[in-house]
Amino acid sequence: MAGSVPPAPNDLPPSSPAPRRSRAVFWVALAAFPLAAFAWLVWVVLTRGTEAADFWDYSDAVLTGAVVALLVPLPVLIWGGLSRRIGQALLGVTIGAVVAVLALPLSLHLIHARRTQAFEDKKARYAEFVATVRSHDHARIRKALPALPDGFSAPKALCALGGGATYTFEQWLWFDDHAYGEALPSADLLEAAAAVVDGAWPRQEKQAALLVLLHYLSERDEPALFPTWAGLWRRTLEQPDAARTPLLASDYRGDTGTCSAARDPADTVLKRWHDAGLRAWLQAGFGFSEEQRNPALRAVRSKPMLQELIAADPEFAAMLSAGQSEGADALSHLSYELSELLDRGPDPAVPAELVEALRKAGADPRRSEHARKPCAVYELSESERRPTGADSAARIAAAARIHHALCPPDGSAQPGKTADGGSANDRRAGTNETAEADSERR
């Protein structure tokens, strides 16, 4: 155009600024692992942070976290490759992975802290229950027992109150921390049992709880408390006032804690207390089942107790007079203790009178089904005893009476011979038979 002046070089329009380099890929890659680790940490603490979880549960959670760790960076790396920001993606993923690794020890700490707190809370709740039992308030006991954590059954509660385990805290592979209840006095246990008996628990559960308590009374050697216990047991029966009702274990398959409630009450009471147990049993009005008659005869330790047992249940007299094996079995079991009873008993004549009374009633030592007959067992124990001093005339006379009763001079059980003709050396050689007989006696 005429008259126009060309623009000067400095008058050219400014060039547009260079595009800014995006760092979005880097920040997303950096946040991927920490966010995934945080989500995994919350999940692990909530699902594995209980006292019921063990090491293998935590191992499964770590394996799950490893699988997630392999999958998390894949979308970010693909995005970085497509947007030509693969370097940012790799750098962000690497830094994020280092930060995420801290979640592993942190999870261990948080899980342990949560499990420990739960364990301590349960122990505190149980301590409150113990205080309630000490109050002897039956209504409060019945209300507090079902409220215990993990739902204690009545037998497990009685077991814990007597000193059994309450709660267990598994500390991974190495060791466990067990919380045991304080061993309350038997009077407190009886009050707790009475609260259970008057409660709404099923009969079998009530009886199982009472059998746990009976086990403690036997361990503590408290036969004087058996009448009180027997009164509680009768309150669980359909006919509490029925005479000569056999005392039988209930068929309970629930949780009894670390205690066993399946043992036959006759074995628990009679084997431990002998005459005192038999007398308490009869005075409580209990009878004997067929399976309990043999343990009852084995428990007798004096002639008056044998007479009282026969008078209370004529079936014992019939068993003995008929020469059945129960009488011989009673002599066999008694023969293992005769030497000790002669040495340590208050009167050596007592065991001698009992052996003679059993023989007079019909018990035949030759009918024993044990590997070794009563005569052989008694002779061997007498030959191996170590007297602390000179035997008294009363002991010598009582020992002779016992020998005469167990080893009748009819050729079948001569002195120095077993009832089946073996010598004393043969008796010592029969170690296998002895072990079998001892095991059966126990």
Side-chain angles (χ1 to χ4, degrees):
M1 184 174 198
S4 63
V5 179
N10 293 337
D11 295 336
L12 292 174
S15 60
S16 60
R20 188 173 183 179
R21 191 174 182 85
S22 174
R23 297 183 180 275
V25 173
F26 171 77
W27 293 114
V28 171
L30 180 63
F33 264 133
L35 289 176
F38 177 77
W40 176 83
L41 182 63
V42 172
W43 172 70
V44 166
V45 172
L46 292 179
T47 59
R48 268 61 176 178
T50 64
E51 72 283 352
D54 58 18
F55 173 81
W56 302 110
D57 293 327
Y58 183 73
S59 299
D60 291 341
V62 172
L63 180 60
T64 302
V67 173
V68 172
L70 292 176
L71 299 177
V72 163
L74 291 181
V76 179
L77 293 176
I78 293 173
W79 179 34
L82 294 176
S83 61
R84 297 183 182 182
R85 301 288 191 274
I86 189 64
Q88 292 185 19
L90 288 173
L91 180 61
V93 165
T94 302
I95 298 175
V98 173
V99 175
V101 166
L102 298 177
L104 191 62
L106 182 59
S107 67
L108 280 172
H109 174 75
L110 293 177
I111 287 176
H112 187 272
R114 188 167 185 261
R115 286 158 52 89
T116 301
Q117 185 59 49
F119 183 56
E120 295 299 328
D121 290 344
K122 288 185 176 182
K123 290 199 298 183
R125 293 274 298 279
Y126 177 77
E128 294 175 0
F129 174 67
V130 172
T132 301
V133 171
R134 290 184 184 277
S135 71
H136 295 179
D137 187 329
H138 292 188
R140 289 180 58 201
I141 294 173
R142 283 192 292 271
K143 182 178 180 181
L145 197 159
L148 284 171
D150 294 348
F152 273 34
S153 66
K156 183 177 180 179
L158 264 294
C159 178
L161 292 172
T166 58
Y167 295 101
T168 301
F169 179 52
E170 297 182 4
Q171 299 200 18
W172 312 123
L173 285 180
W174 297 276
F175 58 90
D176 295 342
D177 185 9
H178 299 279
Y180 287 89
E182 177 187 357
L184 296 183
S186 298
D188 291 337
L189 297 183
L190 285 167
E191 291 292 341
V196 169
V197 168
D198 294 336
W201 285 270
R203 178 187 304 164
Q204 291 181 338
E205 187 170 350
K206 293 178 181 180
Q207 292 183 345
L210 288 174
L211 290 176
V212 168
L213 173 56
L214 181 61
H215 176 68
Y216 279 127
L217 296 182
S218 176
E219 278 190 340
R220 299 172 180 183
D221 196 18
E222 296 175 324
L225 296 179
F226 182 79
T228 304
W229 180 93
L232 294 177
W233 181 272
R234 282 194 167 276
R235 281 155 58 179
T236 68
L237 303 178
E238 292 183 358
Q239 298 179 339
D241 298 329
R244 299 302 167 207
T245 300
L247 178 53
L248 302 173
S250 61
D251 185 20
Y252 178 71
R253 301 180 182 230
D255 187 9
T256 59
T258 53
C259 301
S260 173
R263 183 179 299 178
D264 187 344
D267 186 55
T268 302
V269 174
L270 307 183
K271 189 175 181 179
R272 171 72 175 176
W273 294 330
H274 300 297
D275 280 13
L278 276 170
R279 190 167 292 108
W281 188 287
L282 295 176
Q283 290 176 353
F286 292 126
F288 300 95
S289 66
E290 291 298 325
E291 294 77 13
Q292 291 174 335
R293 297 188 189 283
N294 205 5
L297 275 177
R298 293 179 187 177
V300 175
R301 288 296 179 269
S302 67
K303 179 180 177 180
M305 190 65 249
L306 178 63
Q307 294 172 336
E308 187 176 343
L309 184 65
I310 292 175
D313 190 344
E315 183 64 26
F316 286 100
M319 289 167 50
L320 292 170
S321 62
Q324 297 180 20
S325 60
E326 285 82 356
D329 183 71
L331 286 174
S332 294
H333 281 76
L334 184 61
S335 63
Y336 284 90
E337 302 180 22
L338 286 172
S339 291
E340 183 178 357
L341 292 174
L342 288 172
D343 290 333
R344 301 182 182 180
D347 185 358
V350 171
E353 292 174 353
L354 173 59
V355 172
E356 291 172 344
L358 284 169
R359 292 284 285 116
K360 184 177 180 180
D364 188 350
R366 295 165 297 184
R367 292 285 306 275
S368 174
E369 297 178 358
H370 289 259
R372 299 171 63 190
K373 300 299 185 283
C375 176
V377 173
Y378 173 67
E379 287 181 336
L380 182 58
S381 61
E382 282 290 280
S383 66
E384 293 181 345
R385 61 183 285 266
R386 297 178 182 177
T388 56
D391 291 339
S392 64
R395 193 206 185 278
I396 295 175
R401 292 168 60 184
I402 292 174
H403 187 276
H404 183 269
L406 294 182
C407 310
D410 56 0
S412 61
Q414 295 292 340
K417 299 283 186 178
T418 64
D420 52 356
S423 65
N425 290 331
D426 293 335
R427 293 198 303 271
R428 291 183 175 88
T431 55
N432 292 336
E433 294 180 350
T434 303
E436 181 180 350
D438 290 343
S439 176
E440 183 178 355
R441 177 175 63 90
R442 290 191 293 267

